[in-house]
Amino acid sequence: TMLNINQTDFVSNQLLSSLISLKENGNYTPETTQYVINNLTDQINVAPTIQFTTADITIIPIPTLNDTKNYANKFWSIRAKYQNLYTQNANLNKNSITDSSSPAYIQVMIYAGNLYVQMADELKNLSVPKELADLHLKLLNNYEMEGSSLKQLNNIDTDPVLAITGLNTYSKYSDYEDTMLQILANYFSASGIIFSKTDPGIGWKSL
């Protein structure tokens, strides 16, 4: 079932209220925080075939607040890099992508699919706070799924049903991505991380 904006808000609000409750009750520890995050993200079913595992990432076992802030800044910087690459490509073709069945539109979407895969490969090199490791892995695999789904458009001429299925799959995993990014943003906020205007991580506040 595709997530909708109400479900996204629900999961995000659940995270905030749970973390605030832990702080108020004196139970705010890495272990309880990780439990809350994992419990919420378990509601999100990511790629059936797992591409990345814990063996593929570096986990910080006892992260400091500065470690978490560095992770947030680097994650957003990488995400912004690939968003800009997509925007530049889409703008170059903006006069010919109004028709979703046009070759130009399909090529832009395939290009986006390649960017998702590249972004996942770059994000896997980040050092990840232990509490966020499972969520980070789900995002990596989600990006892989979004990328592979869009690249199914390569089959538009030989297998249009497969191509359309790819678009539908992308839509579903795009919703999952939005929810997981919002969980991260709320976690950073609840953890007391403050981003300056020059920090790449200031972008988390735009979600």
Side-chain angles (χ1 to χ4, degrees):
T1 303
M2 286 177 57
L3 295 176
N4 57 40
I5 190 64
N6 291 330
Q7 288 171 302
T8 297
D9 289 343
F10 174 75
V11 172
S12 301
N13 291 335
Q14 281 289 101
L15 175 68
L16 278 177
S17 63
S18 296
L19 293 180
I20 290 170
S21 177
L22 288 176
K23 284 185 174 181
E24 290 176 345
N25 295 325
N27 294 322
Y28 190 79
T29 67
E31 290 75 21
T32 56
T33 302
Q34 185 174 3
Y35 174 80
V36 168
I37 293 173
N38 290 349
N39 188 47
L40 286 172
T41 55
D42 278 345
Q43 301 175 34
I44 303 171
N45 296 315
V46 184
T49 302
I50 297 175
Q51 182 73 19
F52 296 107
T53 68
T54 51
D56 297 308
I57 64 173
T58 300
I59 298 174
I60 306 172
I62 308 176
T64 64
L65 194 63
N66 195 52
D67 288 330
T68 303
K69 182 176 180 179
N70 284 338
Y71 167 77
N73 277 324
K74 290 177 180 178
F75 191 112
W76 192 270
S77 181
I78 291 170
R79 184 173 183 271
K81 166 187 167 181
Y82 286 96
Q83 277 188 318
N84 289 337
L85 286 171
Y86 169 76
T87 300
Q88 291 166 14
N89 182 267
N91 284 342
L92 285 174
N93 294 279
K94 63 183 178 181
N95 294 325
S96 54
I97 61 172
T98 53
D99 179 6
S100 60
S101 64
S102 72
Y105 175 87
I106 291 169
Q107 287 308 308
V108 168
M109 291 299 100
I110 293 171
Y111 176 74
N114 288 323
L115 291 181
Y116 274 116
V117 173
Q118 293 169 30
M119 180 168 65
D121 202 47
E122 192 166 344
L123 285 170
K124 86 167 188 239
N125 296 322
L126 295 182
S127 294
V128 186
K130 183 179 179 182
E131 305 96 281
L132 301 176
D134 287 346
L135 179 56
H136 185 78
L137 280 173
K138 283 199 170 187
L139 267 166
L140 293 185
N141 288 315
N142 201 85
Y143 286 136
E144 280 284 330
M145 197 65 171
E146 287 179 88
S148 62
S149 298
L150 286 177
K151 289 196 289 183
Q152 293 296 338
L153 286 169
N154 274 312
N155 300 299
I156 192 68
D157 292 328
T158 57
D159 193 343
V161 172
L162 184 61
I164 293 170
T165 300
L167 278 179
N168 290 336
T169 301
Y170 167 74
S171 179
K172 179 174 71 173
Y173 282 91
S174 179
D175 284 340
Y176 290 161
E177 176 196 355
D178 291 344
T179 299
M180 289 188 280
L181 290 175
Q182 190 64 62
I183 289 174
L184 275 178
N186 286 350
Y187 172 78
F188 298 142
S189 177
S191 297
I193 293 174
I194 299 173
F195 298 105
S196 70
K197 290 183 179 179
T198 57
D199 285 329
I202 193 71
W204 289 104
K205 293 186 176 295
S206 66
L207 293 179

